[in-house]
Amino acid sequence: MLFQKLADTYHEFTVLRDVNLCINCDVCVRQCSYHVHFRDGVRSCVTSDNSKCVGCLRCSALCPTGALFIRFNGSNWASQSGLLRNIYKQAETGVKQSDASQGCPPIHVYWDKLMLVTGTADESLSASLPKFLLNKPLLLDTTPSIPINPNLLTAMEIVAEKLNLAEIRTNEISATDGSCKYVRIAVTHNVAKLALKAVADGAKVIVIDGGSGGDSPFGCNNDQLMPIELAIGAVDKILRDEGVRESVFVIAAGGIRCSSDVVKAVVLGADGVSIGAIMMIAVGCSLCGSCHTGKCPWGIATVESNLCKRQNPELAAEQMINVVNAWTQEIDEMLESLGSGSLSDMRGNKD
């Protein structure tokens, strides 16, 4: 009985409301799709149910008086705050940040242990790559694994068209032999062998999906996955060793936090990087981890009509374009500091 009470009273998030600032305007009540906030008829004021809060931060962001603060009753949730602030600023202004890796959470990831060095380009491979990968190795995944607001899919199509970015369409099938043109592989221990098998079966694009923060298939547990940084290098190596590297494009999807990670992914052997999650952050995502509910208060991971209206495709596209432009500026500065003219000069030079 005691432990049941503990379970009932423990909440992952606590809504802190400053009663001196709260004007009971009901903005939080209308904006929260999880019904955390409600008007107390007895006390004639707005109050909150902490057990329903997922930490999306929409209420605190839209509170006109700044009366709300969401506290996480743990230790790791706020580790992404610096990263989110950077992307929010880029989405608003389109301007690069002073340090492309600033705000990356202080967790043990291999991206932060990699040092960028220049080397000789693999000219035969570079010559076979489409121009968009040579200049802008950023791709948009327009076939996500979870329900996404159709307005945002439209926004990403606008971005792809205006900036000449490629789209990952994992449901495309070759019209000639029926084989999959795009193959998505989770970063399990045998990811390299799976990639080689996919190429042998006719795959033209391999999406390495997962790792530290990626969208891995639900069938894979965390203890079965390897960091995507290691997976990229392993796949690139086995494809080169078998002499088939030039026949396939390798796309890294997942675990990319900032523009410096993009450069490092290319150095490790990726031809391009999927930034679908970054695009969602650009339009308000706070990484609350409740996409599966379909009730995203920001109108992102949802198909409910009343929530979808919260995202304007033209405005969302503008914010996404701002982030891409900011990242492009940061990547150009990194390449200049490394004495390299383009990312193609660094692709696969991980020695």
Side-chain angles (χ1 to χ4, degrees), residues 21 134 217 249 272 329 342 346:
L21 294 177
L134 292 177
F249 302 129
Q329 295 174 47
S342 68
M346 304 177 66

Side-chain angles (χ1 to χ4, degrees), residues 9-19 22 24 27-29 32-38 43 46-63 66-74 77 297:
T9 55
Y10 173 79
H11 307 301
E12 188 174 10
F13 299 96
T14 299
V15 180
L16 302 178
R17 185 184 304 271
D18 189 331
V19 294
C22 181
N24 296 302
V27 168
C28 55
V29 177
C32 183
S33 55
Y34 292 98
H35 308 294
V36 173
H37 309 281
F38 61 95
R43 295 186 295 170
V46 176
T47 187
S48 308
D49 181 352
N50 293 328
S51 66
K52 297 180 179 179
C53 182
V54 299
C56 75
L57 304 181
R58 185 173 177 86
C59 59
S60 61
L62 297 181
C63 179
L68 294 174
F69 176 78
I70 310 301
R71 184 184 69 197
F72 177 57
N73 301 318
W77 181 66

Side-chain angles (χ1 to χ4, degrees), residues 91 152 278-285 298 300 311 316-317 319-320:
L152 294 180
I278 300 299
M279 295 296 94
M280 297 303 99
I281 295 175
V283 296
C285 175
W298 291 96
I300 298 174
Q311 291 289 344
Q319 292 172 272
M320 294 177 183

Side-chain angles (χ1 to χ4, degrees), residues 121-130 134 343-347:
D122 186 335
E123 296 181 358
S124 60
L125 177 60
S126 298
S128 67
L129 295 174
L134 292 177
L343 274 177
S344 62
D345 295 335
M346 304 177 66
R347 184 173 286 105

Side-chain angles (χ1 to χ4, degrees), residues 17-238:
R17 185 184 304 271
D18 189 331
V19 294
N20 295 319
L21 294 177
C22 181
I23 57 176
N24 296 302
C25 62
D26 287 349
V27 168
C28 55
V29 177
R30 294 192 300 270
Q31 292 296 327
C32 183
S33 55
Y34 292 98
H35 308 294
V36 173
H37 309 281
F38 61 95
R39 180 167 285 278
D40 188 329
V42 176
R43 295 186 295 170
S44 298
C45 65
V46 176
T47 187
S48 308
D49 181 352
N50 293 328
S51 66
K52 297 180 179 179
C53 182
V54 299
C56 75
L57 304 181
R58 185 173 177 86
C59 59
S60 61
L62 297 181
C63 179
T65 62
L68 294 174
F69 176 78
I70 310 301
R71 184 184 69 197
F72 177 57
N73 301 318
S75 59
N76 295 323
W77 181 66
S79 65
Q80 303 281 350
S81 59
L83 171 63
L84 293 177
R85 279 196 298 270
N86 263 6
I87 298 175
Y88 292 153
K89 290 178 182 177
Q90 292 167 337
E92 180 72 22
T93 65
V95 178
K96 68 179 183 65
Q97 297 299 295
S98 57
D99 182 358
S101 61
Q102 180 182 359
C104 288
I107 56 178
H108 296 291
V109 292
Y110 285 92
W111 293 125
D112 298 328
K113 301 180 184 298
L114 299 176
M115 180 179 296
L116 294 173
V117 295
T118 56
T120 304
D122 186 335
E123 296 181 358
S124 60
L125 177 60
S126 298
S128 67
L129 295 174
K131 290 183 178 179
F132 67 79
L133 287 180
L134 292 177
N135 299 320
K136 290 183 178 178
L138 306 176
L139 300 95
L140 303 176
D141 193 341
T142 53
T143 54
S145 57
I146 59 174
I148 293 294
N149 186 339
N151 291 340
L152 294 180
L153 296 179
T154 299
M156 286 195 286
E157 291 175 356
I158 294 174
V159 174
E161 181 179 356
K162 286 189 175 181
L163 298 183
N164 193 27
L165 297 183
E167 298 178 49
I168 300 178
R169 298 181 182 274
T170 52
N171 58 349
E172 286 190 2
I173 302 296
S174 172
T176 55
D177 57 8
S179 61
C180 290
K181 294 169 61 178
Y182 290 73
V183 176
R184 186 181 294 269
I185 303 176
V187 288
T188 52
H189 68 283
N190 60 339
V191 60
K193 292 183 178 179
L194 291 175
L196 184 61
K197 176 65 166 57
V199 174
D201 291 340
K204 299 302 180 184
V205 176
I206 294 177
V207 180
I208 304 176
D209 195 354
S212 50
D215 300 323
S216 300
F218 292 114
C220 296
N221 298 321
N222 290 334
D223 58 355
Q224 295 176 313
L225 302 177
M226 66 188 299
I228 192 171
E229 302 93 312
L230 303 183
I232 296 171
V235 169
D236 180 69
K237 183 179 186 304
I238 196 171

